[in-house]
Amino acid sequence: MAVVITRIERVEASVVSGFEGIGVATVHEAQDRKGLMAPHLRPIFRPTHVAGSAVTCEVAPGDNWMIHVAVEQCQEGDVLVVVPTSPCVDGYFGDLLAESLRARGVRGLVIEAGVRDVASLTEARFPVWSKAICAQGTVKETLANVNVPVVCGGTVVNPGDLVVADDDGVVVVPRAAAVRVLEKSRAREASEADKRRRFAAGELGLDIYGMRESLAAKGLRYVDRLEDI
Amino acid sequence: MAVVITRIERVEASVVSGFEGIGVATVHEAQDRKGLMAPHLRPIFRPTHVAGSAVTCEVAPGDNWMIHVAVEQCQEGDVLVVVPTSPCVDGYFGDLLAESLRARGVRGLVIEAGVRDVASLTEARFPVWSKAICAQGTVKETLANVNVPVVCGGTVVNPGDLVVADDDGVVVVPRAAAVRVLEKSRAREASEADKRRRFAAGELGLDIYGMRESLAAKGLRYVDRLEDI
Amino acid sequence: MAVVITRIERVEASVVSGFEGIGVATVHEAQDRKGLMAPHLRPIFRPTHVAGSAVTCEVAPGDNWMIHVAVEQCQEGDVLVVVPTSPCVDGYFGDLLAESLRARGVRGLVIEAGVRDVASLTEARFPVWSKAICAQGTVKETLANVNVPVVCGGTVVNPGDLVVADDDGVVVVPRAAAVRVLEKSRAREASEADKRRRFAAGELGLDIYGMRESLAAKGLRYVDRLEDI
Amino acid sequence: MAVVITRIERVEASVVSGFEGIGVATVHEAQDRKGLMAPHLRPIFRPTHVAGSAVTCEVAPGDNWMIHVAVEQCQEGDVLVVVPTSPCVDGYFGDLLAESLRARGVRGLVIEAGVRDVASLTEARFPVWSKAICAQGTVKETLANVNVPVVCGGTVVNPGDLVVADDDGVVVVPRAAAVRVLEKSRAREASEADKRRRFAAGELGLDIYGMRESLAAKGLRYVDRLEDI
Amino acid sequence: MAVVITRIERVEASVVSGFEGIGVATVHEAQDRKGLMAPHLRPIFRPTHVAGSAVTCEVAPGDNWMIHVAVEQCQEGDVLVVVPTSPCVDGYFGDLLAESLRARGVRGLVIEAGVRDVASLTEARFPVWSKAICAQGTVKETLANVNVPVVCGGTVVNPGDLVVADDDGVVVVPRAAAVRVLEKSRAREASEADKRRRFAAGELGLDIYGMRESLAAKGLRYVDRLEDI
Amino acid sequence: MAVVITRIERVEASVVSGFEGIGVATVHEAQDRKGLMAPHLRPIFRPTHVAGSAVTCEVAPGDNWMIHVAVEQCQEGDVLVVVPTSPCVDGYFGDLLAESLRARGVRGLVIEAGVRDVASLTEARFPVWSKAICAQGTVKETLANVNVPVVCGGTVVNPGDLVVADDDGVVVVPRAAAVRVLEKSRAREASEADKRRRFAAGELGLDIYGMRESLAAKGLRYVDRLEDI
């Protein structure tokens, strides 16, 4: 019933490293506003930023057995993505598992459930995006799958997909699209740098984006006072 | 259908600056516990404190077009208050718009929706109170009103009202009441400073406020043990 | 109708101090995963850690009168536990009451409601675990009980029980079990230190805990690719 | 501090009765999608429909004293609107108060809090829109205002405004706008009846509303299969 | 680690049957507003009413094994109370278990989790109060306790306590208090019948409860218009 | 950017009709507890049951334009599945669109957003599973995709997949698995009928499923009283 897929294709390391420092909002825009996880997935400390290839792990509610199985499938540069098979906020993950992931070069954890030992995780700067912080422990009784496609935060994650996460949330880039999205993200950053200068200099978005005509065309009216309408 | 009101009366700058350093809880008490926004409006960093005159801005769900329109209506010392016409947690606002507001001397943003680029906003110390942090972008398709009365966090905000916000939340003071509330806030602060000294010295609230008699009158009983009742 | 119980038995000070630095997750495991409060009780700043004997206090919704009564019952080393008689997020507690508790040597506050003045509380490092941060004040009209058993965060708290709280949440240890749980917590910590070394050295949980056989016995299969199933 | 306003102007009875049978969604559209309360206000039974002039009543959390005061201000054809001064789900209202309102000809209750005795209220078909159903009782200790402007479900309600409520929710029509909104609602109903016939006959919205061109202009493409893009 | 307590003392059948038809709101008032479960516990159909002695059952998240164990401990006139050891909305209970409980004369189920087969349960009129309706199944892997004290909906339930549940929610009466609370409930019902007649005849609560003086004493003012203040 | 896929493969009509009367909980178990949507998707009336092939439709927040586009893609026996590109509870769908769908033989609607006109929809018995009931209307400004894979209620829905929905929720069966899941569902129903008879006759699950040994093996103890442990 439960399987571990041992051979997954990952995003090339040079592509992953290209995403360092590129924000989730930028990546999300660069792939046409797709792939964003729901905003209840929050980092346990800020600021933070990671990019890596997804290793996916299903877990039963209240049961973290499969995380131990998933750790063995992780490599340098991976991000572990854990989803319970039904909603659960238990603390599936703590500092021992973080040591284990770190020893393998894993960049961070995204978990649609709870984590614990957050003081230690924060001190050690091991990045985690979770739905909750909760000291409630888990059992080790029930099997589930590792490295099958999962839905996390309302978004499909296939094993080997690129995961980028920062203070704004978590976005998933399909492996095949990673190079193209990286290029578009960089283009976007360049364009934003220019816009940032213009905004900082006091230019208005109305003018930078040339919105005044379309606003008027849709019927926007300017009046001195509410009574003037 | 949609209008921008261009002439609003603001709270006088000297009055606004009087509120600097006065906490939201104090202001709220000073105006008889009115005008507080709901506690889901949280600052993106702490500690923080702003006071300013409200520029109000409606936005369609998933559509930040009108924020660009509202920016032009903002002046030195304003606080921008943004409310969607139906509930939405999208990231309506990021670092470019923050640059734009800062260039105009705007003190901060209160938004009953999501914001993004919070790492940049935090680094730049641009104060924002929001309902969510979310990288989800928005479109620019639908008109709405600027500088009309709105309800934000369950509280009416009229353009030009005073907005005070800190780590405890956001409170709105009607423009006409600002001077009176400032005086009462200062009186309250003075009175609290004295009480703080007494509390710190070990005096009890029971004695400072003279509560023992009214507690007894209502029937409060002191017993050694639960079994003694 | 309302009573204040004035004589409660507390956990011995030497036992309480033994819990310093022992995490909530560890204590919770050490007493068989019992006594944890729900994860909506969050610290207002991190990192933080307290242990102390519970003084319990019921309050009416929107009414903090009884907190003043409860303060008088508090001693050096206590933790005040406040629960409203129906759900409420008002700001029952602020910096004046914190001064009062601090003057009596109280270690911290756990409240299934809101608090305010969190900037001051944070600066003064007075530890609070609450359900909300909210500037909304309260009245002083209605009696309730002090030092009766209460349910806080879904967990029974008897006056005098040990409360341990940190970044992960809040756990309650029945007074009679405190010594035993302390011993088990220390044993657990020792054992975890050893495991931490092994995890950090790259050993897998699968091997440390000897899980491979039981996983196989339950039917876990390893396959190269999803198509191979 | 607390006042009861005894003279409020109501919507004319003939106008109110014109709204009978007109749905909330229609009224809401007819006034440009304004005035709708948040969807957490749900009817305790369905189907149901009421229209009436608002009598507004503030209550302290956990305290229904002012409802008794408000009842006296109610007349034939009114709808009572109750809002707590901070969020509360207690059961403020039950069958005795319903008898009292019914004896005065009140049409229904809208309350941003809880109600109880819903079996009796349902059997007697007394319409209530509430945030919760909860048996938790309330005290009678704290004053608040009757017939002042309030915010209920995120919407401003002035005393005497028209309230229309049905299975879809609750909408508020400013008193001065009631006649105009009634006319527009009727026009909308007439127009919808025609559209309903066309939809039922199999015509598509794409054709009824002439959308095909604007969809194409915005760039919508029709392709046989996803692979064809 | 896990135990089943097989001998519990129940409320006498004649006392239980005395509660038939007495509403939860009445019982709750009759025991001084104590023992009410949180309002998220809702009946799957209405109207409904049960009273019975509690058999308590802990379950692991996502695991309904112990419900089968608990069924054997149930007798004619019991109400089964099920609580997960951490929050879970899975569908722990369906029509087969309902048949099993019904065969033993069990009156109903209160579960702080999800149930399924609600169409069948509704058709068969087997009363259930739950936190959710969810088709998600459960496993049978982990032990927990039967007939130990539990916290359900924020309220302590001891095995053998009286549980009364209806459309308004669920209340728990300690076994030792059942006779006294029954008497007070009946007295309350008698008194309410009289009041109901007076309310229905148009008398006001202000007069029935004699509130006018205390309102005035607290400072309530009646004015014609808001401008008159 | 936005496409409508016009040729999708559906589940064969005879297979779909085989699912009539088979409950969601049974289908979910029959495909190894996969494919269930989250329990916040609730039917607007009960009892209800539909099965059909999915036509999928993305919509912008607050914008139902694409539903009109999707209607044209619907056929006899379809179920329309609508998901907003960011969370929204607006009333995207009402009785006119229901007439339109019904005219094309569509079986029902699943929408991760709000619906309105629920009184009409209920009277007409047009089945809808939604996240909210809300009268808030929508605009028609923004394109999105029709008949691309979507995530609804946390579950992937591919166009043409089988959707089964009833009082317990909504489950998705991949098109390719429909025949196999139908067979397993029927087998399960047959087996449950037998078990139901045994449960109704008073047999215990402990014996029907032979659980006593495994419970004992895991360490379950039966004791008379709590004190006996």
Side-chain angles (χ1 to χ4, degrees):
Chain A
M1 233 59 133
V3 295
V4 181
I5 307 298
T6 55
R7 296 208 175 177
I8 64 169
E9 293 186 64
R10 289 166 165 87
V11 180
E12 218 180 304
S14 64
V15 178
V16 173
S17 64
F19 280 94
E20 270 158 36
I22 300 187
V24 165
T26 299
V27 174
H28 183 234
E29 294 287 348
Q31 70 172 339
D32 297 331
R33 293 180 187 160
K34 296 208 172 301
L36 191 70
M37 290 189 190
H40 61 248
L41 286 160
R42 295 299 303 145
I44 58 167
F45 58 82
R46 286 163 48 193
T48 184
H49 182 284
V50 302
S53 295
V55 165
T56 66
C57 176
E58 294 177 355
V59 288
D63 189 318
N64 77 346
W65 208 13
M66 296 312 292
I67 297 183
H68 287 280
V69 175
V71 169
E72 190 179 30
Q73 305 305 317
C74 290
Q75 301 180 359
E76 168 78 27
D78 285 345
V79 170
L80 181 59
V81 177
V82 177
V83 290
T85 53
S86 68
C88 187
V89 295
D90 287 354
Y92 282 81
F93 182 96
D95 64 351
L96 294 188
L97 279 164
E99 290 285 0
S100 193
L101 287 182
R102 187 146 264 182
R104 302 182 79 78
V106 173
R107 302 280 170 86
L109 170 75
V110 176
I111 180 165
E112 192 155 37
V115 289
R116 56 183 185 174
D117 300 332
V118 293
S120 303
L121 297 176
T122 298
E123 201 187 359
R125 295 281 134 176
F126 185 82
V128 176
W129 287 256
S130 75
K131 187 175 161 184
I133 293 170
C134 181
Q136 173 80 36
T138 48
V139 298
K140 294 176 192 0
E141 297 277 6
T142 305
L143 298 188
N145 302 301
V146 171
N147 276 334
V148 298
V150 297
V151 175
C152 182
T155 293
V156 175
V157 188
N158 285 290
D161 280 352
L162 181 73
V163 173
V164 185
D166 69 7
D167 296 19
D168 287 344
V170 186
V171 69
V172 181
V173 179
R175 191 173 54 82
V179 172
R180 182 174 51 79
V181 171
L182 176 56
E183 282 161 14
K184 292 183 69 176
S185 296
R186 282 172 172 165
R188 199 175 172 87
E189 288 222 315
S191 145
E192 291 221 334
D194 178 58
K195 279 182 202 140
R196 189 173 293 107
R197 275 188 296 273
R198 295 174 68 183
F199 275 114
E203 252 187 287
L204 290 170
L206 292 177
D207 300 311
I208 292 171
Y209 300 113
M211 295 166 171
R212 293 190 192 271
E213 275 183 36
S214 46
L215 286 162
K218 289 236 179 175
L220 186 66
R221 293 173 52 202
Y222 287 79
V223 297
D224 274 13
R225 298 181 185 286
L226 201 49
E227 302 79 63
D228 302 342
I229 305 175
Chain B
M1 233 59 135
V3 296
V4 181
I5 306 299
T6 55
R7 294 209 177 177
I8 63 170
E9 294 186 65
R10 290 168 164 85
V11 179
E12 216 179 307
S14 63
V15 178
V16 174
S17 64
F19 279 95
E20 271 160 35
I22 301 188
V24 165
T26 299
V27 175
H28 183 235
E29 294 287 349
Q31 70 171 339
D32 297 332
R33 294 181 186 159
K34 296 208 173 299
L36 190 70
M37 291 189 190
H40 62 248
L41 287 159
R42 296 297 304 143
I44 59 168
F45 58 81
R46 285 164 49 191
T48 184
H49 183 283
V50 302
S53 296
V55 166
T56 66
C57 176
E58 295 177 355
V59 287
D63 189 318
N64 78 344
W65 209 12
M66 297 311 293
I67 297 182
H68 287 279
V69 175
V71 169
E72 191 177 29
Q73 305 306 315
C74 290
Q75 300 180 0
E76 168 78 28
D78 286 345
V79 169
L80 180 59
V81 177
V82 177
V83 290
T85 53
S86 68
C88 187
V89 294
D90 287 355
Y92 281 82
F93 182 97
D95 64 352
L96 294 188
L97 279 164
E99 290 285 359
S100 193
L101 287 182
R102 187 147 263 183
R104 300 182 79 79
V106 173
R107 301 284 170 85
L109 170 75
V110 176
I111 179 165
E112 192 154 36
V115 291
R116 55 183 185 173
D117 300 332
V118 294
S120 303
L121 298 175
T122 299
E123 201 187 358
R125 294 280 131 178
F126 185 82
V128 175
W129 286 257
S130 74
K131 187 175 160 184
I133 292 170
C134 181
Q136 173 80 35
T138 49
V139 298
K140 295 175 192 359
E141 297 275 7
T142 304
L143 298 187
N145 302 302
V146 171
N147 274 336
V148 298
V150 297
V151 175
C152 183
T155 293
V156 176
V157 188
N158 285 290
D161 280 353
L162 181 73
V163 173
V164 185
D166 69 5
D167 297 19
D168 286 346
V170 186
V171 69
V172 180
V173 179
R175 191 173 54 83
V179 172
R180 181 174 48 81
V181 172
L182 178 56
E183 282 160 13
K184 293 183 68 177
S185 297
R186 282 171 172 165
R188 197 172 174 87
E189 287 222 317
S191 144
E192 291 220 335
D194 178 59
K195 279 183 203 139
R196 190 173 293 107
R197 273 188 297 274
R198 296 173 68 184
F199 275 116
E203 251 187 286
L204 290 170
L206 291 176
D207 299 312
I208 293 171
Y209 300 112
M211 294 166 171
R212 293 187 192 275
E213 274 183 37
S214 45
L215 285 164
K218 289 238 179 175
L220 186 65
R221 293 172 53 203
Y222 287 78
V223 297
D224 275 11
R225 301 183 181 284
L226 201 49
E227 301 80 62
D228 301 342
I229 306 176
Chain C
M1 233 60 131
V3 296
V4 181
I5 306 299
T6 55
R7 296 210 176 175
I8 63 170
E9 293 186 65
R10 290 166 165 85
V11 179
E12 215 179 308
S14 63
V15 177
V16 173
S17 64
F19 280 94
E20 273 159 34
I22 300 188
V24 166
T26 300
V27 175
H28 182 235
E29 294 286 349
Q31 72 172 336
D32 298 331
R33 296 181 183 159
K34 297 209 173 297
L36 191 70
M37 292 190 188
H40 63 247
L41 287 159
R42 295 298 303 146
I44 60 168
F45 59 82
R46 288 163 47 192
T48 185
H49 183 284
V50 302
S53 295
V55 166
T56 66
C57 177
E58 293 177 355
V59 287
D63 189 318
N64 78 347
W65 208 12
M66 297 311 292
I67 297 182
H68 287 279
V69 175
V71 169
E72 190 177 31
Q73 305 306 316
C74 290
Q75 300 180 0
E76 167 78 27
D78 285 345
V79 170
L80 180 59
V81 177
V82 177
V83 290
T85 54
S86 67
C88 188
V89 294
D90 287 354
Y92 280 82
F93 182 96
D95 64 351
L96 294 188
L97 279 165
E99 290 285 359
S100 192
L101 287 183
R102 187 148 265 184
R104 300 182 80 77
V106 172
R107 303 281 171 86
L109 170 74
V110 176
I111 179 165
E112 192 153 37
V115 290
R116 55 184 187 173
D117 301 331
V118 294
S120 304
L121 298 176
T122 299
E123 203 187 356
R125 295 281 133 176
F126 184 82
V128 175
W129 286 257
S130 74
K131 187 176 159 184
I133 293 170
C134 181
Q136 173 79 36
T138 49
V139 299
K140 295 178 192 357
E141 297 276 8
T142 304
L143 298 186
N145 302 303
V146 171
N147 274 335
V148 298
V150 297
V151 174
C152 184
T155 294
V156 176
V157 188
N158 285 290
D161 280 352
L162 179 73
V163 172
V164 184
D166 69 7
D167 297 19
D168 287 344
V170 185
V171 69
V172 181
V173 179
R175 191 175 55 85
V179 171
R180 182 173 48 82
V181 172
L182 177 55
E183 283 161 13
K184 290 183 69 176
S185 296
R186 282 172 172 165
R188 196 172 175 87
E189 287 221 316
S191 144
E192 291 220 336
D194 177 58
K195 279 181 203 141
R196 189 173 294 108
R197 274 188 295 274
R198 295 174 68 182
F199 275 115
E203 252 188 286
L204 291 169
L206 291 177
D207 299 312
I208 294 171
Y209 300 113
M211 294 166 172
R212 294 186 192 274
E213 274 182 37
S214 46
L215 286 163
K218 286 238 179 173
L220 186 66
R221 292 173 51 202
Y222 287 78
V223 297
D224 274 13
R225 301 184 180 284
L226 203 49
E227 300 81 62
D228 301 344
I229 305 174
Chain D
M1 235 56 134
V3 295
V4 181
I5 308 298
T6 56
R7 294 210 177 177
I8 64 169
E9 294 187 67
R10 289 167 166 86
V11 181
E12 216 180 304
S14 64
V15 177
V16 173
S17 65
F19 279 94
E20 272 159 32
I22 300 188
V24 165
T26 298
V27 174
H28 182 236
E29 294 285 350
Q31 72 172 340
D32 297 331
R33 293 181 185 159
K34 297 208 172 301
L36 191 70
M37 290 187 190
H40 62 247
L41 287 159
R42 295 298 304 146
I44 59 168
F45 57 82
R46 287 165 47 194
T48 183
H49 184 283
V50 303
S53 295
V55 167
T56 65
C57 176
E58 292 177 357
V59 287
D63 188 317
N64 77 347
W65 208 12
M66 297 311 292
I67 297 182
H68 287 279
V69 175
V71 168
E72 191 178 28
Q73 305 305 316
C74 291
Q75 302 181 357
E76 167 78 27
D78 285 346
V79 170
L80 180 59
V81 177
V82 178
V83 290
T85 53
S86 68
C88 188
V89 294
D90 287 355
Y92 280 83
F93 183 95
D95 65 351
L96 293 189
L97 278 165
E99 290 284 359
S100 192
L101 286 183
R102 187 148 263 180
R104 301 182 80 78
V106 173
R107 300 284 169 85
L109 170 74
V110 176
I111 179 165
E112 192 154 37
V115 290
R116 57 184 186 173
D117 300 332
V118 294
S120 303
L121 297 176
T122 299
E123 201 186 359
R125 295 280 131 179
F126 185 82
V128 176
W129 285 258
S130 74
K131 187 174 159 184
I133 294 171
C134 181
Q136 173 80 35
T138 49
V139 299
K140 297 178 193 354
E141 297 276 8
T142 306
L143 298 188
N145 302 303
V146 171
N147 275 334
V148 299
V150 296
V151 174
C152 184
T155 293
V156 176
V157 188
N158 285 289
D161 279 352
L162 180 73
V163 173
V164 185
D166 69 6
D167 296 20
D168 287 344
V170 185
V171 69
V172 180
V173 180
R175 191 174 55 82
V179 171
R180 181 172 52 81
V181 171
L182 178 54
E183 282 161 12
K184 289 183 71 176
S185 296
R186 280 171 174 164
R188 197 172 172 87
E189 287 223 315
S191 145
E192 291 222 333
D194 177 58
K195 278 182 204 140
R196 189 173 292 106
R197 274 188 297 274
R198 293 174 70 184
F199 274 115
E203 252 187 285
L204 291 169
L206 292 177
D207 299 314
I208 293 172
Y209 300 112
M211 294 166 173
R212 293 188 192 272
E213 275 182 36
S214 45
L215 286 163
K218 289 238 178 173
L220 186 66
R221 292 172 54 202
Y222 288 78
V223 296
D224 274 14
R225 298 181 184 285
L226 202 48
E227 300 80 61
D228 302 344
I229 305 175
Chain E
M1 233 62 132
V3 295
V4 182
I5 307 298
T6 55
R7 295 212 175 176
I8 64 171
E9 292 187 67
R10 290 166 164 86
V11 180
E12 216 180 306
S14 64
V15 177
V16 174
S17 64
F19 280 95
E20 271 160 34
I22 300 187
V24 165
T26 299
V27 175
H28 182 235
E29 294 286 351
Q31 71 172 340
D32 298 330
R33 296 183 185 158
K34 295 205 172 302
L36 191 68
M37 291 189 191
H40 62 246
L41 287 160
R42 295 299 303 147
I44 59 168
F45 58 82
R46 287 164 47 194
T48 182
H49 184 283
V50 303
S53 296
V55 166
T56 66
C57 177
E58 295 177 354
V59 286
D63 190 318
N64 78 346
W65 208 12
M66 297 311 293
I67 298 182
H68 287 280
V69 174
V71 169
E72 191 178 31
Q73 305 305 317
C74 291
Q75 299 180 359
E76 169 78 28
D78 286 345
V79 169
L80 181 59
V81 177
V82 177
V83 291
T85 52
S86 69
C88 188
V89 294
D90 287 354
Y92 281 84
F93 182 96
D95 64 351
L96 294 188
L97 279 165
E99 290 286 358
S100 191
L101 287 183
R102 187 147 264 181
R104 300 182 81 79
V106 173
R107 300 283 170 88
L109 171 74
V110 175
I111 180 165
E112 192 154 36
V115 290
R116 56 185 187 173
D117 302 330
V118 293
S120 303
L121 298 176
T122 300
E123 201 187 359
R125 293 283 130 176
F126 185 82
V128 176
W129 286 256
S130 74
K131 187 176 161 184
I133 293 170
C134 181
Q136 174 80 35
T138 47
V139 298
K140 296 177 191 358
E141 297 276 7
T142 305
L143 298 188
N145 301 303
V146 172
N147 275 334
V148 298
V150 296
V151 174
C152 184
T155 295
V156 175
V157 188
N158 285 289
D161 280 352
L162 181 72
V163 173
V164 185
D166 69 6
D167 296 20
D168 287 345
V170 186
V171 69
V172 181
V173 180
R175 192 173 55 83
V179 171
R180 182 173 50 81
V181 172
L182 177 55
E183 281 161 14
K184 291 184 70 177
S185 297
R186 281 173 172 161
R188 198 171 172 87
E189 287 223 315
S191 145
E192 291 221 334
D194 178 57
K195 280 180 203 142
R196 189 173 292 108
R197 275 187 296 273
R198 295 174 67 183
F199 275 115
E203 250 186 289
L204 290 169
L206 292 177
D207 299 312
I208 294 172
Y209 300 112
M211 295 167 173
R212 292 186 193 275
E213 275 183 37
S214 45
L215 286 163
K218 290 237 179 176
L220 187 65
R221 295 173 50 203
Y222 288 78
V223 297
D224 274 12
R225 299 182 185 285
L226 202 46
E227 301 79 60
D228 302 344
I229 305 175
Chain F
M1 235 60 135
V3 296
V4 181
I5 307 298
T6 56
R7 294 210 175 177
I8 63 170
E9 293 186 67
R10 289 166 165 87
V11 179
E12 216 180 307
S14 63
V15 177
V16 174
S17 64
F19 279 94
E20 273 160 34
I22 300 187
V24 164
T26 299
V27 174
H28 182 235
E29 294 286 350
Q31 69 173 339
D32 297 331
R33 293 179 186 161
K34 297 206 170 299
L36 191 71
M37 290 189 191
H40 63 247
L41 287 160
R42 293 298 304 145
I44 60 168
F45 57 81
R46 285 164 49 192
T48 182
H49 183 283
V50 303
S53 297
V55 166
T56 66
C57 177
E58 294 177 356
V59 287
D63 190 317
N64 78 347
W65 209 12
M66 297 312 293
I67 298 182
H68 286 280
V69 174
V71 169
E72 191 178 29
Q73 304 307 316
C74 290
Q75 300 180 0
E76 169 77 27
D78 285 346
V79 169
L80 182 58
V81 177
V82 178
V83 290
T85 52
S86 68
C88 188
V89 294
D90 287 355
Y92 281 83
F93 183 96
D95 64 351
L96 294 188
L97 277 165
E99 290 285 358
S100 192
L101 286 183
R102 186 148 265 182
R104 300 182 79 79
V106 173
R107 301 282 170 85
L109 170 74
V110 176
I111 180 166
E112 192 154 36
V115 291
R116 57 185 188 173
D117 302 332
V118 295
S120 302
L121 297 176
T122 300
E123 201 187 358
R125 294 281 131 178
F126 185 81
V128 175
W129 286 256
S130 75
K131 186 173 159 186
I133 293 170
C134 181
Q136 173 80 35
T138 48
V139 298
K140 294 176 192 358
E141 297 276 6
T142 304
L143 299 187
N145 302 302
V146 171
N147 275 335
V148 298
V150 297
V151 174
C152 184
T155 294
V156 176
V157 188
N158 285 289
D161 279 352
L162 181 73
V163 173
V164 184
D166 69 7
D167 296 21
D168 286 345
V170 185
V171 69
V172 180
V173 180
R175 190 173 56 83
V179 171
R180 181 173 50 83
V181 171
L182 177 55
E183 280 161 14
K184 290 182 70 176
S185 296
R186 281 173 172 162
R188 197 171 172 88
E189 288 223 314
S191 144
E192 291 220 335
D194 177 58
K195 279 181 203 141
R196 188 173 294 106
R197 274 187 296 274
R198 295 174 69 183
F199 275 114
E203 253 186 285
L204 290 170
L206 291 177
D207 299 312
I208 294 172
Y209 300 112
M211 294 166 172
R212 293 188 191 274
E213 276 183 36
S214 45
L215 286 163
K218 290 238 178 175
L220 186 66
R221 292 173 51 202
Y222 288 78
V223 297
D224 274 12
R225 301 182 183 282
L226 203 48
E227 300 80 62
D228 301 343
I229 305 175

